[in-house]
Structures are given as C-alpha cells and as structure tokens.
Amino acid sequence: QAQLVESGGGLVQAGDSLRLSCAVSGRTFSRYTVAWFRQAPGKEREYVAALDWNGKRAYYQDSVKGRSTISRDNAKNTMFLQMSGLKPEDTAVYYCASYKNPFELFSPLRLGSLDWGQGTQVTVSS
C-alpha cells in the first residue's frame, strides 16, 4: 500500500495562490493515476482534479477549472495542485489520492480504488 503525505496548506486571503504537494512512496509512482479531493465542513468529499498516469489528460471540477493546475514529477514521486484566485468557498481539507491499480485511467463517473493522504487544511479568508 502506498503512503501519501500532503503539504502546503494554510490560511490565505481571497485572491491568493497556493500550491499543495503530495509525496508518494511505496510504489512505482509513474504507473498510477493521481487526484486531489477536498471536503468542506458538512459536505461530502469531492474530486477537485485528476491526472492520468501517463500525463496525457487532466480533469478538473468545474468550480476550479481555469484556476487550478494538477501536475506530477515522477522523478520525485510527487504530485502538485496549484490553485490561484482562491475563494472562501475553496476552504476545505484537501486530500491527495493515488489509484491502487496501475495504468488505470481516471473517470469522474466511476472512481477507482484509491489510497489516500491524511489531508491538509486550506482556509481562504474573505
């Protein structure tokens, strides 16, 4: 089972930018599709962005599209989420995730089995 550790969360002001990182160990990182999710208080966890294992396609939830970029550095076994133009409604605990099955592609309609990080809090003040 993979281990995922997020970093980069914090308190920012509306309009600011933030980059979240997630270090992944315990597997050949380049073979696995990765994703970012978030969970706001009182709401269900939702996907924010995903990137297929081969780097060919990225997916974004509509609310962050145009403001966010998911990326990966396979040499460093690390994935990133760059967010700009942050809004108070972006406040949530952000989780990174890696598919358990190698070479499986992301589908927003049917999530595969995932390994999760512990989460990092992002708070956006107005």
Side-chain angles (χ1 to χ4, degrees):
Q1 183 170 340
Q3 292 77 48
L4 294 85
V5 180
E6 300 98 337
S7 60
L11 174 63
V12 298
Q13 292 187 333
D16 284 352
S17 298
L18 195 67
R19 188 174 83 155
L20 304 179
S21 301
C22 177
V24 182
S25 60
R27 61 174 40 151
T28 306
F29 178 67
S30 61
R31 298 178 181 178
Y32 295 84
T33 290
V34 293
W36 287 92
F37 291 75
R38 67 186 181 186
Q39 187 167 19
K43 295 187 177 181
E44 294 187 353
R45 190 173 298 188
E46 61 179 3
Y47 109 91
V48 177
L51 182 62
D52 283 336
W53 67 272
N54 54 19
K56 290 186 177 180
R57 185 171 180 180
Y59 308 78
Y60 297 94
Q61 188 204 93
D62 286 346
S63 65
V64 303
K65 198 173 294 183
R67 302 189 292 121
S68 299
T69 302
I70 185 172
S71 61
R72 62 192 300 159
D73 185 338
N74 290 337
K76 296 182 177 180
N77 289 0
T78 303
M79 56 189 286
F80 305 95
L81 181 66
Q82 178 74 44
M83 302 184 71
S84 61
L86 284 162
K87 306 174 182 180
E89 51 264 44
D90 292 318
T91 295
V93 178
Y94 283 71
Y95 299 89
C96 62
S98 173
Y99 272 58
K100 288 181 180 286
N101 296 319
F103 312 120
E104 182 175 354
L105 299 177
F106 179 77
S107 170
L109 299 179
R110 186 178 62 84
L111 291 178
S113 182
L114 302 167
D115 288 315
W116 297 90
Q118 82 286 354
T120 185
Q121 177 71 46
V122 173
T123 303
V124 184
S125 64
S126 58

